[in-house]
Amino acid sequence: MDHASGRPVVDRRSDLPDLRFQRRHARRPGHVLGLNRLQRRLLLRQPDRPRDRVRRGDGAATAFAGAYEFHCSPNAGAVTGELRWNSSLDYVGVVSSPAPVDFGRVAIDGTMPARTATFAVKGTLPSTFDVARISGANPSSFSIVSNGCSGRTLAPGAYCYVTVAPKALRWGDYTANLELADNSAYGKRVVPLKFTAYDTVIGMYYPLAPQRLMDTRSGLGRPEPGPLVGGSSVELQVAGRGGVPASGVGSVVLNVTVTGPTASSFLTLYPYPEATPTASSINFPAGWLGSNNVTVKVGVEGKVSIYNRSGTTHVIVDVVGFYAASDTVKSSLGWGGQYQPVEPRRLIDTRPTALAAGQSISSYVDLGPSSPRVKALVLNITAVQPAKSGFLSAWSGDGPVPTSSTVNYGAGKVVPNLAFVRTGKCTDCNGLPYAVPTFSIYTSQVTNMVVDLVGVVDDGSLPDGLRFTPLSPTRIADSRSGLGTSGALGAGELRKIVAPSTVVTPTTEVLAMNVTAVAPTRDTVITVWPADADLARPGVSNLNPAAGQVVSNAVLGGIGPLDAFNVHNLTGSVDLVADVVGRFYLYSGTASTTGLAGRQPLAVRGTGVPG
């Protein structure tokens, strides 16, 4: 009550019922009036009138006290408050702010911007607060992250706080109410909550036609020609070159080739200007020619660093794609793609008839009605016993053979490489009623070749797609030192390696790794697949190291429900090293379920020569 003016104190957050109507119909303290379909109520506490005026019949009031509530359907909340005029009655009153709590636009699976509701005690009596909960239309879309009110009694003028965060899982508008029980006439404070969830391209993959970013032999990407020197790092600008946008890029997918090393060594690619991590991207002996697929987080100024451990070596870097870090790329490039694991399938094995020098081989992949949605294939391509040093180039099959290479090999070696290959389209392959993705591979020298399909990149529209979060390279296993697993793997041995909590989250399904086989005693085959998932060992390989070789290969390794993966060694004994460069997570916006279980990967229905 405003004692100076004698006017009732009114909560201005909404229009109030017509008090003249209530005075005509109120007969006693505590009488509740129901007012039309808007669900308005007024609880009268002090409708005082002088007895002489009652006898005269004019009914004029001398004091008034009431508690009101006002519901606006379909909102489950209410506007409540106290009315006072010439009243000395004490009352409980709490005001919350802001009201509503509006989180604005929230990115699906993005950082959730928690906000705090303040509850101020404005009545003349203390307020006691009980349980806080979320109610209303979409209660599962909000969560209470901290509560400084429940279980407390606060004096007039005191404050307490409750913090709430949104959960954006699907596109759309979401509303709910934060309810905080108290000792007021209404019994609780109700604060409306709302946000709008929107899809982003963060974590989506954008395949590119292979383009060269660095060649130390010619000086491309360097101040001048010359090999990389042991024990030092060089910077490579990747953003704004080779089709990679100047901004909004989280990581790039590169094909890194080493030629002419003077000593056994390794290269490590990592974000500029971070310290050199204990990890490797490609391992090689002196005189080696080979390549590896490397995914690397982009650092400051759009740069990555390349470290050479020992000796000198020439290095060639081709970019084949990138992952988005913000929506800035969407305006110019549209929507990217999401990674879809598939049941591993061998697509090509030329043995025992080798490909001729200069020969190309093409294939299509039938993935059923989802085929037209495939933008890139993730292939493990292995050159087997080449007659001479040379290279393989994989591409969509559209246009001429690219100038970049996918697998670089030395004579008599077994050299694998994981490749993200942008696809072409065959619209009439063996009478199929839908377009299917195609690819081609060229070899510069006589060699046998094995090609395994391990995944695809869709156009962002298929359910259960995975998106990528880059990490600085992190070593999680080294059997030589006992990190993650201890001792060399024997013939036919299976090991389970558990990924540490530093590289996984509850939604992680696949780890992007660089796996290195160290000096096997015999030619062998290394296979990686999810552990604790009741899955048989796939009939494909991730590495095919020859005896005595130190060979690296990029592996997209699925993890099971206990965050672990299996590693199997076929023959002899071999040490293994695993470095993680990123993780793939289930994107809620296109998930068929918000859980990780019960979803089936895409399966190959057929393959063959396009035509």
Side-chain angles (χ1 to χ4, degrees), residues 48 167 195 220 225-226 242 280 401 404 474 565:
D48 291 346
K167 299 178 182 178
F195 70 89
L220 175 67
S280 62
V401 178
S404 60
T474 303
F565 58 91

Side-chain angles (χ1 to χ4, degrees), residues 294-334:
V294 178
T295 298
V296 57
K297 183 178 179 180
V298 176
V300 175
E301 299 176 355
K303 296 178 181 179
V304 300
S305 296
I306 305 176
Y307 170 79
N308 176 35
R309 177 68 177 88
S310 303
T312 64
T313 184
H314 283 290
V315 177
I316 302 150
V317 178
D318 301 314
V319 63
V320 298
F322 69 90
Y323 293 96
S326 75
D327 280 337
T328 58
V329 303
K330 185 169 65 173
S331 59
S332 58
L333 298 176

Side-chain angles (χ1 to χ4, degrees), residues 252-568:
V252 289
V253 181
L254 307 172
N255 195 59
V256 180
T257 300
V258 168
T259 180
T262 60
S264 295
S265 183
F266 61 84
L267 300 181
T268 303
L269 280 75
Y270 56 98
Y272 170 84
E274 294 182 6
T276 306
T278 302
S280 62
S281 304
I282 182 170
N283 299 68
F284 48 87
W288 192 68
L289 171 64
S291 51
N292 198 22
N293 180 279
V294 178
T295 298
V296 57
K297 183 178 179 180
V298 176
V300 175
E301 299 176 355
K303 296 178 181 179
V304 300
S305 296
I306 305 176
Y307 170 79
N308 176 35
R309 177 68 177 88
S310 303
T312 64
T313 184
H314 283 290
V315 177
I316 302 150
V317 178
D318 301 314
V319 63
V320 298
F322 69 90
Y323 293 96
S326 75
D327 280 337
T328 58
V329 303
K330 185 169 65 173
S331 59
S332 58
L333 298 176
W335 294 93
Q338 300 180 143
Y339 178 66
Q340 297 275 356
V342 302
E343 296 178 3
R345 172 75 174 266
R346 183 146 291 174
L347 303 180
I348 298 173
D349 189 342
T350 64
R351 296 172 295 184
T353 305
L355 298 175
Q359 182 179 350
S360 294
I361 186 170
S362 299
S363 181
Y364 73 82
V365 183
D366 178 13
L367 294 158
S370 298
S371 295
R373 302 295 187 181
V374 173
K375 300 174 67 172
L377 301 175
V378 184
L379 305 172
N380 203 51
I381 303 173
T382 305
V384 182
Q385 301 291 330
K388 297 180 180 179
S389 296
F391 63 89
L392 302 175
S393 289
W395 81 108
S396 66
D398 298 332
V401 178
T403 57
S404 60
S405 59
T406 306
V407 180
N408 293 79
Y409 50 75
K413 304 297 184 181
V414 179
V415 183
N417 198 11
L418 188 77
F420 284 67
V421 181
R422 190 162 69 169
T423 58
K425 295 290 183 185
C426 180
T427 56
D428 187 20
C429 281
N430 292 341
L432 291 171
Y434 41 76
V436 292
T438 63
F439 68 97
S440 297
I441 302 178
Y442 166 88
T443 180
S444 66
Q445 301 296 333
V446 175
T447 187
N448 276 297
M449 182 176 65
V450 176
V451 179
D452 297 324
L453 178 70
V454 298
V456 303
V457 177
D458 66 16
D459 61 359
S461 66
L462 295 180
D464 301 324
L466 305 183
R467 297 195 178 189
F468 186 69
T469 300
L471 300 172
S472 297
T474 303
R475 180 150 295 175
I476 65 168
D478 189 337
S479 64
R480 300 168 300 181
S481 66
L483 175 65
T485 188
S486 182
L489 277 72
E493 185 176 356
L494 180 142
R495 293 272 181 90
K496 182 171 79 170
I497 298 176
V498 178
S501 59
T502 53
V503 298
V504 295
T505 69
T507 59
T508 302
E509 292 206 357
V510 173
L511 292 176
M513 298 183 285
N514 188 59
V515 177
T516 303
V518 181
T521 58
R522 300 182 61 183
D523 294 356
T524 189
V525 174
I526 305 297
T527 305
V528 178
W529 75 101
D532 308 308
D534 198 25
L535 296 174
R537 175 164 58 96
V540 300
S541 60
N542 296 103
L543 288 91
N544 303 77
Q549 278 188 315
V550 179
V551 177
S552 302
N553 198 28
V555 174
L556 301 185
I559 59 174
L562 302 179
D563 295 338
F565 58 91
N566 291 322
V567 181
H568 180 269

Side-chain angles (χ1 to χ4, degrees), residues 230-246:
S232 63
S233 297
V234 299
E235 304 165 15
L236 175 62
Q237 181 70 41
V238 294
R241 300 180 62 209
V244 179

Side-chain angles (χ1 to χ4, degrees), residues 39 85 150 186 199 220 229 239 297 305 323 380 566 570:
Q39 302 179 15
W85 179 66
S150 295
Y186 184 53
D199 285 297
L220 175 67
V229 178
K297 183 178 179 180
S305 296
Y323 293 96
N380 203 51
N566 291 322
L570 184 62

